[in-house]
Amino acid sequence: MPIPDDKSLREARLAEALRTNLRRRKAAARPARSGEERALAAAEAAPQPYSVMRRLEGVAHADGARVALVLEISAPYAAPESDEVCCAVRLTGDGGQFDSEHGKAAFGLDGLQATRRAVELAQVALDLASTTHDLRWPDGRSYDLSAPI
């Protein structure tokens, strides 16, 4: 028995899966209540230069403008005023909340945990960028948000 192929139903399911993944990733990477300010302040102490993790192209949903997107993560470093270690994450080019001089920091008990959380936070940055831009590889292929970084 053939399976019906309803493109609009597939697209609706994919959109819901992306929204669910975004909510889960944001919840997993979300720091404590006052953590937003803490994450911004801690990112200012990040060692420069950051390591480039991804170079993508963003096509704005609103007007089709193309922008270069660069996802970067810092090396692990001691968190200011804490025993924790952190890594800073920034995504330049989209004008979003990670598009700043320092980005935001992810915290961990050691360098490995901080790096893992930074990768999760980087995925959140890409998920958020995808709400305003169509993400593409530099060669024009579509970027798969469900694939791990």
Side-chain angles (χ1 to χ4, degrees), residues 1 15 26 34 37 42 54 57 60 63 70 72 78 80 97 113 122 129 131 133-135 138-139 146:
M1 179 169 157
K26 285 173 81 174
S34 63
E37 294 166 7
R54 289 274 191 271
E57 182 178 80
D63 59 5
V70 180
E72 301 172 304
Q97 57 184 300
Q113 187 179 44
T131 63
H133 292 81
D134 179 32
L135 304 183
D139 66 3
S146 64

Side-chain angles (χ1 to χ4, degrees), residues 69-90:
L69 301 174
V70 180
L71 178 66
E72 301 172 304
I73 297 179
S74 76
Y77 59 98
E81 303 175 16
S82 172
D83 293 338
E84 294 175 298
V85 176
C86 51
C87 287
V89 175
R90 72 178 167 203

Side-chain angles (χ1 to χ4, degrees), residues 19-79:
R19 282 192 296 275
T20 301
N21 282 342
L22 176 59
R23 283 192 296 268
R24 285 183 186 156
R25 288 180 182 143
K26 285 173 81 174
R30 187 175 294 133
R33 199 73 157 121
S34 63
E36 182 76 19
E37 294 166 7
R38 182 175 173 235
L40 292 171
E44 292 179 12
Q48 299 284 337
Y50 290 14
S51 297
V52 174
M53 304 307 287
R54 289 274 191 271
R55 291 187 189 276
L56 301 171
E57 182 178 80
V59 180
H61 295 310
D63 59 5
R66 295 180 180 272
V67 294
L69 301 174
V70 180
L71 178 66
E72 301 172 304
I73 297 179
S74 76
Y77 59 98

